[in-house]
Amino acid sequence: MSQDDSKRPQPSPPGTAIARRPASDSIGRGTETPASWGLGEGQAIPWEYVAAPESRDVVRLKDRYGLFIGGEEVAPSGDQWFTTLDPATEEPLAEVARATVEDAEHAVDVARAAYEQRWGSLPGRERAKYLFRIARILQERSREFAVLETLDGGKPIKESRDVDVPLAAAHFWYYAGWADKLEYAFPGREARPLGVAAQVIPWNFPLLMLAWKVAPALAAGDTVVLKPATSTPLSALLFADVCRQAELPPGVVNIVTGPGEIGMTLVKHPGVDKVAFTGSTEIGKRIARAVAGTDKELTLELGGKAANIVFDDAPLDQAVEGVITGIFFNQGEVCCAGSRLLVQESIVDRFVEKLKDRLDTLRVGDPLDKNTDVGAINNAAQLAKIEELVEAGVEEGARMYQPACEIPARGYFVRPTLFTDVALSHRIAQEEIFGPVLSVLTFRTPDEAVEKANNSPYGLSAGVWTDKGSRILSMVKRLRAGVVWANTFNRFDPTSPFGGYKESGFGREGGLHGLLAYVDLQPR
């Protein structure tokens, strides 16, 4: 299923609204600095990149991975397996167990037994010791996890190394600190564990989403059945080895791999007390319908179409970097990605020129190369969706700009894309693309910016760039988004809650709010 580069969006015949610089103008030795850099136009750039690949040998992959139930690796009852691929090469990585409904039900029963027999009544200070051990092991094995996240997910190694793995460990550190303080966490109320938590996570941040869900559940005294995404199961299965190394009691964390139906089996199981899901809005709605009428607790973190708003008094170069991070981090495969850029009309031409110059410096290619900025799209289906929406943007009249860069012959790669002359009615301004595609719109007044930013079925995140603190506070009050960043974007911390409004879901993860989702509060 190799993706032929000729099938991807290419420059159209003269007269169409597309712009791309010649391949010879890619940033590197012998080219000249753009005027927007402020370094003096016409100066030759005295450097070039040399490949700096991380070693794949850091990870020792097994040929086949079973399910993790009751502290042991077990074969699927149906004796069926599926293959997970490296999205950068389309080469197989390993065979993974395809769980059956019976396997999923057995995992819930094992988790229930672990909860009732030990974990639910274990003192918080004892639970904390296990979370501290897990955090410490994640740090000790950070390079191994970073390489595996990149191999299985396609994201650049510098993001796996510097963001995903450190943040995952930080969440376990943070919630380990709460485990023995639950009696102080919610004044006037007693926090009791819920029981068994079914957790379904996506493929864009496999390890980090695992940490967001597993850490607070264990701190609260719940046991877990985790279902990772089919295309990125390996980091969860390596985490199973961390659980063994930390000597976590059997059955406290269970991992079942397989298709989406297995996730729905967990959601509907009567032995599950709490459901946590991160993924698409469509699946989130199905889960909400399945849980309706039961006494299950539910948190949903779904899609987004974040607005990144740049006012004319913003520090433009800083804002450019924030916009780049907001949409091209993790290839744009981020629910809270700043995919809609709203720029004040008076600066739009200058700002877009700076953006184009910055896009020209982005390096697309081998995710294991430490110089790579944009890695591989996670899977072929997602690549096809991105390409279809890029083509729709051109057909609807938006002007497309893509930097000239070599796209590897194999793997799921797409060029970073910038659209201008975008209307609110365009699909690229309304639908979640989940890829490295940025749509630029303009506004004249703060009121117009708020109206356009809120003109979306989603409400997960937003960004505001301005020199005026009063304007930031005013915008934050009016933007219908769960998280609003001020003069930055895509910054996360385990102490800070994250979640959305409208079709972006409900409930919060991270911070004390994230712990609240896993406890039953009773009057003292």
Side-chain angles (χ1 to χ4, degrees), residues 132-142 145 173 241-247:
F132 278 128
R133 287 181 192 172
I134 291 171
R136 207 161 42 239
I137 294 168
L138 285 175
Q139 290 180 323
E140 291 169 355
R141 302 176 67 172
S142 60
F145 270 99
W173 284 116
D241 191 53
V242 171
C243 293
R244 285 191 290 258
Q245 189 177 345
E247 299 180 351

Side-chain angles (χ1 to χ4, degrees), residues 305 307 309 311 340 342 424 429-430 441-458 474-475 478-480 502:
K305 193 69 178 175
I309 305 168
F311 285 91
R340 291 183 298 150
L342 289 112
L424 280 173
Q430 290 295 324
L441 301 98
T442 62
F443 68 92
R444 294 182 180 179
T445 66
D447 288 345
E448 184 183 358
V450 170
E451 184 176 354
K452 287 185 174 180
N454 288 341
N455 188 352
S456 169
Y458 300 107
S474 173
M475 295 292 289
R478 300 164 67 192
L479 290 170
R480 295 295 294 166
K502 299 187 286 187

Side-chain angles (χ1 to χ4, degrees), residues 38 126 159 179 223 236 244 266 297 302 306 343 367:
E126 296 301 320
E159 294 178 5
T223 55
R244 285 191 290 258
L266 297 175
E297 296 292 329
L302 308 176
V343 185

Side-chain angles (χ1 to χ4, degrees), residues 150-223:
T150 291
L151 285 175
D152 209 21
K155 64 181 63 190
I157 183 65
K158 63 182 180 183
E159 294 178 5
S160 301
R161 178 196 65 201
D162 299 341
V163 180
D164 293 43
V165 178
L167 260 180
H171 275 77
F172 280 98
W173 284 116
Y174 174 72
Y175 284 109
W178 272 119
D180 64 343
K181 302 176 184 65
L182 294 180
E183 61 179 306
Y184 311 109
F186 309 102
R189 293 171 293 177
E190 180 183 358
R192 302 173 183 172
L194 290 171
V196 177
Q199 303 176 332
V200 183
I201 59 175
W203 43 257
N204 56 335
F205 291 94
L207 181 65
L208 186 55
M209 293 297 99
L210 177 153
W212 277 23
K213 290 174 171 56
V214 172
L218 298 191
D222 300 323
T223 55

Side-chain angles (χ1 to χ4, degrees), residues 343-359:
V343 185
Q344 199 151 18
E345 206 170 82
S346 58
I347 61 168
V348 65
D349 292 339
R350 183 157 52 114
F351 195 78
V352 168
E353 188 59 31
K354 284 178 173 287
L355 271 178
K356 289 179 179 179
D357 289 337
R358 184 65 177 87
L359 254 67

Side-chain angles (χ1 to χ4, degrees), residues 246-521:
E247 299 180 351
L248 192 69
V252 173
V253 170
N254 306 274
I255 300 170
V256 292
T257 51
E261 299 81 58
I262 298 303
M264 289 304 298
T265 297
L266 297 175
V267 167
K268 296 176 181 179
H269 196 289
V272 167
D273 304 290
K274 156 74 180 180
V275 175
F277 172 74
T278 297
S280 72
T281 297
E282 178 186 356
I283 301 301
K285 290 178 179 179
R286 286 181 55 196
I287 290 174
R289 286 192 291 267
V291 171
T294 72
D295 59 356
K296 291 183 173 72
E297 296 292 329
L298 175 65
T299 51
L300 298 173
E301 195 258 282
L302 308 176
K305 193 69 178 175
N308 215 349
I309 305 168
V310 180
F311 285 91
D312 58 5
D313 64 336
L316 296 191
D317 291 329
Q318 179 183 340
V320 165
E321 291 305 308
V323 169
I324 293 292
T325 299
I327 184 59
F328 299 119
F329 173 70
N330 199 43
Q331 300 76 249
E333 297 170 323
V334 186
C335 294
C336 57
S339 55
R340 291 183 298 150
L341 174 62
L342 289 112
V343 185
Q344 199 151 18
E345 206 170 82
S346 58
I347 61 168
V348 65
D349 292 339
R350 183 157 52 114
F351 195 78
V352 168
E353 188 59 31
K354 284 178 173 287
L355 271 178
K356 289 179 179 179
D357 289 337
R358 184 65 177 87
L359 254 67
D360 287 342
T361 70
L362 296 180
R363 298 180 64 82
V364 181
D366 180 9
L368 281 175
D369 190 331
K370 301 180 186 71
N371 295 317
T372 294
D373 300 300
V374 180
I377 302 303
N378 180 261
N379 55 76
Q382 183 59 31
L383 177 62
K385 176 186 175 183
I386 295 169
E387 292 175 338
E388 191 265 329
L389 282 167
V390 168
E391 292 171 358
V394 175
E395 291 170 359
E396 290 181 321
R399 295 182 60 85
M400 183 179 80
Y401 178 83
Q402 292 179 327
C405 56
E406 296 294 331
I407 297 294
R410 290 183 62 82
Y412 310 133
F413 292 91
V414 66
R415 293 182 179 89
T417 303
L418 172 69
F419 278 106
T420 54
D421 295 341
V422 178
L424 280 173
S425 60
H426 288 173
R427 290 180 62 195
I428 56 174
Q430 290 295 324
E431 297 183 27
E432 184 181 33
I433 301 175
F434 221 61
V437 181
L438 178 64
S439 299
V440 181
L441 301 98
T442 62
F443 68 92
R444 294 182 180 179
T445 66
D447 288 345
E448 184 183 358
V450 170
E451 184 176 354
K452 287 185 174 180
N454 288 341
N455 188 352
S456 169
Y458 300 107
L460 189 57
S461 63
V464 178
W465 298 82
T466 177
D467 194 43
K468 295 182 176 65
S470 59
R471 179 180 283 164
I472 290 172
L473 295 176
S474 173
M475 295 292 289
V476 167
K477 288 180 181 178
R478 300 164 67 192
L479 290 170
R480 295 295 294 166
V483 175
V484 181
W485 286 287
N487 293 329
T488 188
F489 207 92
N490 271 346
R491 297 292 181 181
F492 295 94
D493 188 276
T495 66
S496 179
F498 179 86
Y501 292 99
K502 299 187 286 187
E503 292 196 9
S504 290
F506 53 82
R508 296 293 181 264
E509 294 182 299
L512 185 57
H513 295 73
L515 190 62
L516 178 63
Y518 288 92
V519 295
D520 177 25
L521 296 181

